[in-house]
């Protein structure tokens, strides 16, 4: 008799620091190099996972997600990373869950309406409601129970992290780092419900939509997409966002939303799809 096995969960980030903490907790892993990327296969919290560094931008993200689907037959994909906050009240240190994703730089007009993915007749792609609900609960629990203890006091002070919030809604992606108030305001004027800008989510969403693979996006706000956006960017990624990513993903994999830091070894079920 064949025993059914769970397909693995794909975990993707654009920067190494965003997956480094999780990789440390998956010591016995097998790595496969495909297309210039290392796909690390192992078990976290009793769950088969494939963790991979996509690198930055929509092409990199699309190539990585296609490989996760074809070569690793992943059941679902979690993308974790940073973003620039553009919505009112979306501050550095907050977390945004992408319930909906679109590409703010996609414009094939007048052949197709601005933002529409040509020949798919859609511009806004939804993430998996179940995965995003579970990730939002883990993000809130991380902020409530772990953040103050896990982030060094000098980093919290440097970035003004006091009472960060979790937001849910529209994430917009484009192949540009937005580092000017004019650019950020232009994007917001055209897409007033956008919460933050980043450079991969729209590609992850499109590939997952085309293959029918559930996904969620979770972004830590590193900057306000203004003239200061690049200042201290890597310090934030290394000192803050890396800790957020590990903390939230640990909770997600362990299915823990209500108590202090869980262990990835607990073996509890992963969030629903
Ligand atoms: N990721 C983090 N900050 C960003 C910004 N300002 N623009 C695009 N992607 C980002």
């Amino acid at each position: 008799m064949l025993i059914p096995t769970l397909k693995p969960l794909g975990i993707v980030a654009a920067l190494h620091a965003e997956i480094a903490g999780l990789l440390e907790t998956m010591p016995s892993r097998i790595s496969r190099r495909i297309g210039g990327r290392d796909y690390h296969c192992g078990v976290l919290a009793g769950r088969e996972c494939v963790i991979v560094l996509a690198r930055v931008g929509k092409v990199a993200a699309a190539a990585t997600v296609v490989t996760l689907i074809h070569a690793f037959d992943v059941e679902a994909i979690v993308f974790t990373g940073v973003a620039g906050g553009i919505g009112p009240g979306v501050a550095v240190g907050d977390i945004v869950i992408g319930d909906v994703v679109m590409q703010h730089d996609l414009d094939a007009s007048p052949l197709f309406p601005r933002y529409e993915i040509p020949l798919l007749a859609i511009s806004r792609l939804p993430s998996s409601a179940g995965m995003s609900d579970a990730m939002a609960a883990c993000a809130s629990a991380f902020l409530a129970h772990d953040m103050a203890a896990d982030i060094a006091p000098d980093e919290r002070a440097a970035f003004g992290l006091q009472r960060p919030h979790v937001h849910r809604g529209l994430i917009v992606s484009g192949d540009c780092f937005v580092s000017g108030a004019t650019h950020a305001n232009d994007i917001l004027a055209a897409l007033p419900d956008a919460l933050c800008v980043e450079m991969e989510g729209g590609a992850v969403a499109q590939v997952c939509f085309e293959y029918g693979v559930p996904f969620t996006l979770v972004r830590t706000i590193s900057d306000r997409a203004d003239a200061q956006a690049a200042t201290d960017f890597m310090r934030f990624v290394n000192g803050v966002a890396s800790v957020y990513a590990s903390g939230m993903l640990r909770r997600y994999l362990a299915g823990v939303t209500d108590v202090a830091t869980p262990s990835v070894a607990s073996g509890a079920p992963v969030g629903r799809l």
Side-chain angles (χ1 to χ4, degrees), residues 2-45:
L2 282 178
I3 299 170
T5 52
L6 265 184
K7 294 175 169 190
L9 178 71
I11 299 176
V12 191
L15 299 170
H16 177 69
E18 292 159 343
I19 51 167
L22 277 186
L23 281 175
E24 276 168 22
T25 57
M26 199 168 79
S28 55
R29 56 180 186 256
I30 295 171
S31 300
R32 275 177 70 192
R33 191 162 180 80
I34 302 176
R37 294 184 178 82
D38 294 317
Y39 294 78
H40 306 287
C41 310
V43 176
L44 288 171

Side-chain angles (χ1 to χ4, degrees), residues 149-193:
D150 290 358
I151 308 275
D154 54 334
E155 297 299 278
R156 275 189 278 130
F159 292 105
L161 309 183
Q162 285 169 348
R163 296 182 66 82
H165 294 95
V166 176
H167 309 262
R168 298 185 63 167
L170 176 65
I171 292 181
V172 297
S173 303
D175 277 312
C176 48
F177 186 83
V178 180
S179 57
T182 307
H183 192 178
N185 288 338
D186 287 349
I187 294 170
L188 197 57
L191 302 166
D193 55 335

Side-chain angles (χ1 to χ4, degrees), residues 130-232:
M131 291 178 75
S132 292
D133 286 351
M135 189 60 80
C138 294
S140 297
F142 169 78
L143 291 178
H145 300 298
D146 311 334
M147 194 280 279
D150 290 358
I151 308 275
D154 54 334
E155 297 299 278
R156 275 189 278 130
F159 292 105
L161 309 183
Q162 285 169 348
R163 296 182 66 82
H165 294 95
V166 176
H167 309 262
R168 298 185 63 167
L170 176 65
I171 292 181
V172 297
S173 303
D175 277 312
C176 48
F177 186 83
V178 180
S179 57
T182 307
H183 192 178
N185 288 338
D186 287 349
I187 294 170
L188 197 57
L191 302 166
D193 55 335
L195 297 172
C196 63
V197 282
E198 41 85 303
M199 300 178 67
E200 295 83 21
V204 173
Q206 183 172 338
V207 173
C208 286
F209 175 80
E210 291 173 354
Y211 283 91
V213 171
F215 72 95
T216 189
L217 304 177
V218 55
R219 294 284 184 176
T220 301
I221 299 302
S222 54
D223 61 89
R224 280 288 303 170
D226 54 14
Q228 276 79 52
T231 312
D232 286 339

